[in-house]
């Protein structure tokens, strides 16, 4: 039996349970739903257009995407998949429809103009379809996490800071581009009241207050020292080959003949590109290879899919806090760790719990 989708419980804090609607509405409050809604409408329009053109669906691509999803969530059997879906108010038809919609969104290259409708004004059927999209794409999980962090922060802070609440209110009006006099209409369209709005301000202010105490220079520097290796940046040149022998021959040309990577690629007409990445962004089983080389060195051929790559290290850059990418990663780690610990004390995730337990 599938749980009623509109009654899907995503988390609990104290004696109160929060539904999928609560996670979505708090995302609307934060201004984080509109882009996802527009993307969804474009996917719906792409699927509709494919039906009008009577295009053939690539069943193999759909099956491959579904298999990758099941592998990611460790759903080995059809029964496990069906149970996972049922605990989230979904069916196998919803599952297949999602991947079909995603397929047409990526495969149809026409300039599409979806029917413009605001989330608040959409039909219940369309909003329910959107909810299934949020669940299967993992977006509802992320929205739930954001809600849980704010609830946990509110529990920990207890007494809300009036100044922080005033800042949260000002940010709300700025990002929604409305005046205080228009708030009542905004809440009415959402189906919420002033009590809900005030609570959103309180938990958002508590979260921002808590977050700001984390992101200080000393904490960032300490985290940087702990993550020095994983946040090391590599600037590389990469050539792609169809066979290991071709890659080994190219390696010989670079090492022994002194040819540049770009010269080898041009002479053999091989795909060539420059790539920059942080060590933690590559598979763990290949990280050690990169740690053991210096700038200017070329790694032995690496197998990639049905071919091979030759990689030359152009630069090996130690992480610094003045690098925005490094700073962003460190800040996110500080936030993730702190609020995960806070949530474990005050909030319980329920999304995906067996229906009987709800």
């Amino acid at each position: 039996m599938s749980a009623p989708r509109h009654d899907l419980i995503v988390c609990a804090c104290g004696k109160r349970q929060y539904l999928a609607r609560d996670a979505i509405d708090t995302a609307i409050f934060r201004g984080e739903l509109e882009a996802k809604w527009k993307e969804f409408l474009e996917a719906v329009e792409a699927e509709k257009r494919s039906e009008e053109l009577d295009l053939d669906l690539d069943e193999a691509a759909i099956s491959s995407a579904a298999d990758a999803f099941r592998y990611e969530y460790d759903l080995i059997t059809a029964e496990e998949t069906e149970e996972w879906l049922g605990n989230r108010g979904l069916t196998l038809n919803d599952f297949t429809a999602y991947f079909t919609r995603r397929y047409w969104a990526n495969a149809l290259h026409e300039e599409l103009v979806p029917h413009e409708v605001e989330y608040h004004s959409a039909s219940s059927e369309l909003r329910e379809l959107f909810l299934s999209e949020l669940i299967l794409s993992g977006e509802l999980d992320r929205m739930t996490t954001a809600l849980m962090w704010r609830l946990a922060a509110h529990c920990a802070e207890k007494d809300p800071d009036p100044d922080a609440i005033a800042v949260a209110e000002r940010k709300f009006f700025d990002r929604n581009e409305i005046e205080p006099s228009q708030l009542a209409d905004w809440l009415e369209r959402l189906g919420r009241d002033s009590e809900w709005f005030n609570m959103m301000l309180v938990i958002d202010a508590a979260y921002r207050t808590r977050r700001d105490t984390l992101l200080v220079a000393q904490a960032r520097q300490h985290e940087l020292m702990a993550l020095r290796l994983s946040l090391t940046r590599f600037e590389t040149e990469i050539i792609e080959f169809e066979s290991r022998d071709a890659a080994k021959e190219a390696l010989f040309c670079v090492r022994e003949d002194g040819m540049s990577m770009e010269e080898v690629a041009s002479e053999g007409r091989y795909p060539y590109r420059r790539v920059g990445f942080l060590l933690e962004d590559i598979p763990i089983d290949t990280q050690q290879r990169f740690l053991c080389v210096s700038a200017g060195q070329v790694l032995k051929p690496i197998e990639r899919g049905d071919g091979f790559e030759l990689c030359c290290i152009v630069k090996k850059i130690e992480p610094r806090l003045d690098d925005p990418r490094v700073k962003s990663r460190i800040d996110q780690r500080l936030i993730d760790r702190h609020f995960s610990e806070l949530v474990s004390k005050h909030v319980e995730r329920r999304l995906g719990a067996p229906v009987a337990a709800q």
Side-chain angles (χ1 to χ4, degrees):
M1 286 288 291
S2 295
R5 201 173 306 171
H6 293 295
D7 296 333
L8 184 66
I9 299 170
V10 295
C11 67
C13 181
K15 296 181 178 180
R16 179 171 176 183
Q17 295 179 324
Y18 292 84
L19 308 181
R21 180 198 173 192
D22 294 308
I24 292 171
D25 286 357
T26 53
I28 293 173
F29 171 86
R30 297 190 304 273
E32 297 172 2
L33 194 78
E34 186 175 358
K36 298 176 181 66
W37 176 249
K38 287 184 176 179
E39 182 182 340
F40 165 70
L41 292 180
E42 289 171 0
V44 170
E45 187 64 27
E47 183 175 30
K48 179 181 176 182
R49 182 60 177 157
S50 71
E51 293 173 355
E52 292 172 353
L53 297 173
D54 196 25
L55 299 178
D56 292 328
L57 185 67
D58 187 341
E59 298 287 354
I62 300 296
S63 179
S64 177
D67 288 344
F69 180 97
R70 291 171 60 180
Y71 179 81
E72 179 182 355
Y73 288 92
D74 197 27
L75 303 173
I76 307 302
T77 66
E79 289 76 16
E80 289 174 337
T81 303
E82 198 163 357
E83 181 180 5
W84 187 96
L85 293 168
N87 288 339
R88 291 159 176 80
L90 301 173
T91 66
L92 286 173
N93 286 338
D94 295 320
F95 187 65
T96 302
Y98 166 74
F99 290 107
T100 300
R101 202 161 48 249
R102 290 289 96 206
Y103 171 80
W104 288 123
N106 295 321
L108 202 63
H109 301 297
E110 284 190 22
E111 189 68 31
L112 299 172
V113 182
H115 176 60
E116 289 190 13
V117 56
E118 290 188 352
Y119 175 77
H120 320 92
S121 307
S123 66
S124 58
E125 292 79 11
L126 190 61
R127 289 170 66 161
E128 184 167 302
L129 189 64
F130 180 54
L131 178 53
S132 71
E133 185 96 2
L134 294 177
I135 294 171
L136 292 167
S137 67
E139 288 296 337
L140 185 62
D141 266 324
R142 286 183 278 275
M143 291 177 186
T144 299
T145 296
L147 172 60
M148 291 169 66
W149 282 2
R150 284 156 177 78
L151 292 171
H154 177 48
C155 290
E157 289 293 318
K158 299 190 186 307
D159 297 323
D161 179 359
D163 290 338
I165 293 174
V167 170
E169 185 175 31
R170 185 170 66 251
K171 287 181 177 294
F172 168 82
F173 287 120
D174 288 345
R175 66 175 169 261
N176 286 281
E177 299 180 341
I178 63 173
E179 298 296 328
S181 60
Q182 299 171 296
L183 177 61
D185 289 339
W186 188 91
L187 288 171
E188 185 177 357
R189 291 198 302 274
L190 191 62
R192 295 291 188 173
D193 56 23
S194 59
E195 182 180 352
W196 174 86
F197 178 73
N198 290 333
M199 185 61 184
M200 290 301 99
L201 293 178
V202 168
I203 66 172
D204 201 54
Y207 166 75
R208 291 177 182 278
T209 299
R210 201 87 181 182
R211 184 198 61 186
D212 291 346
T213 62
L214 302 173
L215 306 182
V216 295
Q218 185 177 359
R220 284 169 169 152
Q221 187 62 42
H222 184 270
E223 196 73 9
L224 176 65
M225 296 302 295
L227 299 170
R228 185 180 63 81
L229 287 180
S230 62
L231 293 181
T232 297
R233 182 167 183 80
F234 292 83
E235 298 291 342
T236 67
E237 294 178 291
I238 293 177
I239 308 176
E240 299 176 16
F241 302 92
E242 294 182 353
S243 69
R244 185 185 295 275
D245 288 342
K248 290 173 67 175
E249 183 179 345
L251 177 61
F252 181 86
C253 291
V254 174
R255 286 182 173 176
E256 304 300 326
D257 296 344
M259 294 179 67
S260 71
M261 292 282 283
E262 196 165 5
E263 287 172 340
V264 171
S266 178
E267 187 173 291
R269 296 185 178 179
Y270 298 117
Y272 165 89
R273 66 188 190 278
R274 296 182 72 97
V275 180
F277 55 84
L278 299 180
L279 182 68
E280 68 177 12
D281 290 337
I282 62 175
I284 294 178
D285 57 352
T286 62
Q287 288 183 7
Q288 193 60 38
R289 297 189 189 186
F290 286 86
L291 286 174
C292 296
V293 296
S294 304
Q297 289 186 286
V298 183
L299 279 71
K300 292 181 180 180
I302 301 172
E303 189 170 357
R304 286 282 186 270
D306 57 357
F308 294 84
E309 290 181 349
L310 197 63
C311 178
C312 174
I313 309 301
V314 178
K315 291 181 181 179
K316 193 172 178 180
I317 307 167
E318 290 280 320
R320 295 167 53 92
L321 283 175
D322 56 7
D323 182 337
R325 292 163 295 190
V326 171
K327 182 171 174 286
S328 176
R329 296 286 180 101
I330 286 175
D331 285 357
Q332 195 58 55
R333 277 179 170 78
L334 291 170
I335 291 170
D336 287 346
R337 183 168 60 242
H338 177 79
F339 285 101
S340 293
E341 292 174 358
L342 211 58
V343 161
S344 69
K345 298 175 183 177
H346 300 289
V347 190
E348 179 186 357
R349 183 181 290 274
R350 293 284 184 85
L351 181 61
V355 177
Q358 296 179 357

